[in-house]
Amino acid sequence: MSKGIKKSLMPIVITIIAGIIIYYVALPAINFKSMAFWLYVLVLALLLETSLVIAGFMATGKSQNSAGSHVKALGIGITLFVAAFIISIFSSNRFFNSSRYVGLMKDNIKEGDFSTYKATLENVPLLDKDSAIQISNRELGSLVDVVSQFELGENEQITLKGKSVRVSPLYYGGFFKWNNNKREGTPGYIKIDMMTQEAELIRLKEGIKYSPSEFFGRDLKRYLRMKYPFSMFSSFNFELNENGEPFWVVPVEKHTIGMFGGVDVDYVLLVNAATGDTYKYSLDEVPEWVDNVYNSNLIISQYDYYGSLQNGYWNSVFGQKGVKVTTEGYNYIPQGNDNWIYTGVTSVGRDESNIGFILANKRTKETIYYPVSGAEEYSAMSSSEGVVQHLGYKATFPLLLNVEGQPTYMMALKDAGGLVKMYGMVNVEKYQIVATGETIQSCQQKYRELLKNNSISVTETETERVSGVIENIKTAAIDGTTYYYVKLISKESYFALSVKDNQLILLKEIGDTISLDVNKKNTGKIRDALLIE
């Protein structure tokens, strides 16, 4: 091969090699509707033209006209690229496609009656994400053989066999720790029961070998990119199937409006975190144990399109008749075996009041709108904080519950160290009704009394008297409060008593006979109780 041919091929060879390296690192989807793909193409075009210019100079040392033509061609190419890019953005713009943006969510929404709303204190956990992470870190820190090599991955809330739990996979602590442990993988994951707040490390027979903390071929995104080069991955969600096996739930995006607009989910990939086995499901085939098909922010953005653009783009900007959007912030409410996202809905004027709220199923995108007007979440948080302002506690983003048939915000109140010290309840419609208590039971009791004082009928709690001989006593400190877990002879459940509400439990021992008042609706393995003096 002549030197001239070699020199003319060299820019192409350099561009190909550089393209392979960039692709391996950046992992763009080979998809015309992926912005990352077009950026990748632009970088390759710049590399090729730069290589040709340099090769032209090196060939003769005076190929200025040739170099100039390359630069001119490069300029034309970039101009055409930018023009096409601008056109594609306009084709996705809400101004031209308002009805199509409304259609992203329209068919999934139905209106509900609050009397059918099922989230109550008995079935909704109040442990928030930050507290769950703190508990997980404490559990990880107590495991000497694990904490030196691994760290917590992203914490996810899921429902497992109808129970709400939070799970965090273990990640490698860095490249060298990965190199030391790559044959076995990470040991497993930490699981927190959202009701009992107990955390445990679940050690797997076969470690987690496919995750975002891996390197090279087992890095989760790279592993999937090699299998699905055309797919646009939106997120990687760690979940467990009903047998406790770890999986990555990976929704694959599609852009339904123009080039880059109308983001939605096309199909779902499931990756066994231990074996790497991969399964592809259409949206109507996704297993019921899967929770996080639709990203929370995606659901919220689609509802905002629906609420703001129903009467056209110009109305959303000027007249704003009937325009409504979600409030800032959201929370999760388990329903059955699914995880639902909750957020308030307010008028576009944002006058610190809500006109309703939505619940959206993160697996199916089924969305229920409840027309309940009242206080906006952050106003309710401020109301609870105001009651204990002398203590400086901060409220978590609330859950919306059905308490005595009343829409009620329930939130935890934390100190500067992030520990839960109290709980707050605020009536949504009559937000001057605010109750706080050191325990959930005491907070609920005060709230019920306030409802009575405001002429709101309250159903008397059905309790049962349980008596027996103490067989076993266990203690646990949860968010700064000590709990005694009492097992009575011939009773299957443990009875949980907080020291703050049941100080006499400190004087009781195994073999003593005690009597407890227990809510009849509370029938789990651990039942909240009050000690009868």
Side-chain angles (χ1 to χ4, degrees):
M1 185 180 294
S2 67
K3 290 184 178 181
I5 295 176
K6 287 183 178 179
K7 287 183 178 180
S8 63
L9 287 177
M10 189 59 64
I12 298 175
V13 173
I14 292 173
T15 302
I16 292 173
I17 294 173
I20 292 172
I21 294 172
I22 294 171
Y23 182 80
Y24 187 82
V25 174
L27 300 171
I30 308 302
N31 190 312
F32 289 122
K33 292 196 173 186
S34 167
M35 190 175 294
F37 169 73
W38 289 107
L39 293 174
Y40 175 66
V41 171
L42 179 59
V43 168
L44 292 187
L46 290 171
L47 280 173
L48 179 59
E49 285 295 332
T50 302
S51 299
L52 290 170
V53 170
I54 293 173
F57 276 113
M58 292 179 64
T60 63
K62 54 181 180 180
S63 303
Q64 295 182 3
N65 291 335
S66 177
S69 64
H70 280 300
V71 172
K72 186 176 181 179
L74 178 61
I76 294 172
I78 292 175
T79 300
L80 291 173
F81 182 90
V82 171
F85 192 75
I86 292 173
I87 291 171
S88 68
I89 290 177
F90 273 105
S91 72
S92 309
N93 193 277
R94 284 175 287 172
F95 177 79
F96 300 103
N97 299 280
S98 59
S99 61
R100 296 182 67 186
Y101 276 97
V102 169
L104 290 172
M105 175 69 83
K106 184 177 181 180
D107 293 338
N108 300 92
I109 299 174
K110 64 181 181 180
E111 187 168 307
D113 187 331
F114 187 78
S115 63
T116 65
Y117 187 66
K118 298 178 181 179
T120 66
L121 275 171
E122 286 74 29
N123 62 19
V124 170
L126 294 173
L127 184 68
D128 67 307
K129 183 176 182 178
D130 290 339
S131 296
I133 291 173
Q134 281 190 334
I135 295 171
S136 298
N137 277 316
R138 285 202 297 267
E139 178 68 16
L140 182 63
S142 68
L143 303 167
V144 179
D145 63 319
V146 175
V147 70
S148 63
Q149 296 294 305
F150 306 102
E151 58 189 30
L152 287 179
E154 181 64 26
N155 186 277
E156 296 281 357
Q157 181 168 323
I158 62 173
T159 53
L160 183 63
K161 296 182 179 179
K163 294 178 62 177
S164 187
V165 301
R166 277 193 170 272
V167 288
S168 296
L170 294 185
Y171 283 177
Y172 300 103
F175 178 80
F176 294 104
K177 293 177 181 179
W178 165 79
N179 194 51
N180 293 336
N181 298 279
K182 61 185 178 182
R183 289 192 63 182
E184 297 80 17
T186 64
Y189 54 88
I190 289 180
K191 182 178 72 171
I192 301 175
D193 187 307
M194 298 282 281
M195 298 300 291
T196 66
Q197 300 187 21
E198 294 181 350
E200 61 176 327
L201 171 63
I202 306 300
R203 296 179 184 267
L204 302 169
K205 291 182 180 179
E206 190 171 356
I208 293 175
K209 296 177 181 177
Y210 296 86
S211 78
S213 74
E214 287 281 349
F215 291 85
F216 306 114
R218 289 195 337 217
D219 171 82
L220 183 60
K221 185 175 181 179
R222 185 169 293 112
Y223 178 73
L224 286 175
R225 176 59 66 228
M226 298 303 125
K227 286 175 170 284
Y228 299 92
F230 310 111
S231 300
M232 295 180 288
F233 310 130
S234 58
S235 59
F236 303 94
N237 306 308
F238 186 79
E239 295 197 32
L240 310 176
N241 67 8
E242 296 300 286
N243 298 320
E245 296 175 304
F247 279 83
W248 294 102
V249 179
V250 185
V252 175
E253 283 185 0
K254 62 179 178 180
H255 297 170
T256 62
I257 303 173
M259 286 288 285
F260 306 122
V263 177
D264 212 341
V265 177
D266 192 9
Y267 57 90
V268 178
L269 300 174
L270 298 185
V271 183
N272 187 304
T275 66
D277 293 340
T278 305
Y279 310 90
K280 179 180 177 180
Y281 293 96
S282 63
L283 294 178
D284 57 358
E285 295 175 336
V286 175
E288 289 190 5
W289 60 262
V290 173
D291 288 312
N292 297 301
V293 171
Y294 291 90
N295 181 279
S296 300
N297 291 324
L298 176 64
I299 289 175
I300 288 172
S301 66
Q302 288 192 357
Y303 187 85
D304 285 343
Y305 292 143
Y306 167 80
S308 61
L309 297 172
Q310 287 187 78
N311 296 316
Y313 177 82
W314 290 118
N315 180 71
S316 71
V317 177
F318 296 108
Q320 298 185 332
K321 181 180 179 180
V323 172
K324 54 188 178 182
V325 293
T326 55
T327 55
E328 294 182 8
Y330 56 83
N331 216 325
Y332 299 111
I333 293 179
Q335 300 277 286
N337 203 38
D338 285 323
N339 204 20
W340 296 65
I341 181 176
Y342 151 80
T343 188
V345 177
T346 185
S347 61
V348 76
R350 297 187 181 275
D351 54 359
E352 297 188 355
S353 64
N354 282 353
I355 59 174
F357 67 94
I358 59 170
L359 275 185
N361 189 315
K362 295 194 67 183
R363 176 172 61 87
T364 65
K365 206 170 70 170
E366 176 190 353
T367 301
I368 305 173
Y369 171 72
Y370 293 89
V372 177
S373 60
E376 185 256 357
E377 291 91 343
Y378 285 94
S379 298
M381 292 163 65
S382 297
S383 296
S384 286
E385 291 170 355
V387 175
V388 292
Q389 60 182 331
H390 59 292
L391 299 173
Y393 296 160
K394 296 296 181 182
T396 60
F397 192 83
L399 287 167
L400 185 72
L401 305 180
N402 186 337
V403 180
E404 301 296 340
Q406 294 290 310
T408 303
Y409 289 127
M410 180 76 185
M411 64 211 77
L413 294 163
K414 295 184 175 184
D415 63 13
L419 295 177
V420 175
K421 294 297 185 181
M422 300 182 74
Y423 296 91
M425 281 186 169
V426 179
N427 190 281
V428 174
E429 296 175 318
K430 297 183 178 181
Y431 40 87
Q432 74 276 11
I433 300 178
V434 183
T436 60
E438 293 184 341
T439 66
I440 295 173
Q441 287 176 311
S442 62
C443 182
Q444 184 181 21
Q445 183 177 356
K446 292 178 182 178
Y447 183 70
R448 286 163 53 84
E449 290 299 321
L450 288 172
L451 292 178
K452 290 180 182 178
N453 294 340
N454 282 269
S455 302
I456 298 174
S457 61
V458 173
T459 304
E460 295 301 323
T461 304
E462 295 186 24
T463 61
E464 61 177 326
R465 184 66 54 84
V466 177
S467 300
V469 177
I470 298 176
E471 179 182 3
N472 193 15
I473 298 178
K474 296 182 179 181
T475 61
I478 300 175
D479 292 330
T481 299
T482 300
Y483 287 83
Y484 276 66
Y485 296 89
V486 178
K487 175 73 168 61
L488 302 181
I489 293 175
S490 77
K491 302 295 183 183
E492 294 183 359
S493 300
Y494 272 84
F495 299 95
L497 299 98
S498 72
V499 171
K500 290 179 179 179
D501 292 333
N502 304 272
Q503 293 187 17
L504 285 179
I505 192 62
L506 295 169
L507 306 178
K508 302 299 181 180
E509 298 177 349
I510 294 175
D512 289 347
T513 299
I514 61 171
S515 295
L516 305 170
D517 269 350
V518 185
N519 188 336
K520 284 185 177 181
K521 293 182 181 180
N522 186 354
T523 58
K525 291 184 178 179
I526 297 178
R527 305 175 67 185
D528 291 331
L530 289 173
L531 181 63
I532 305 303
E533 299 183 14

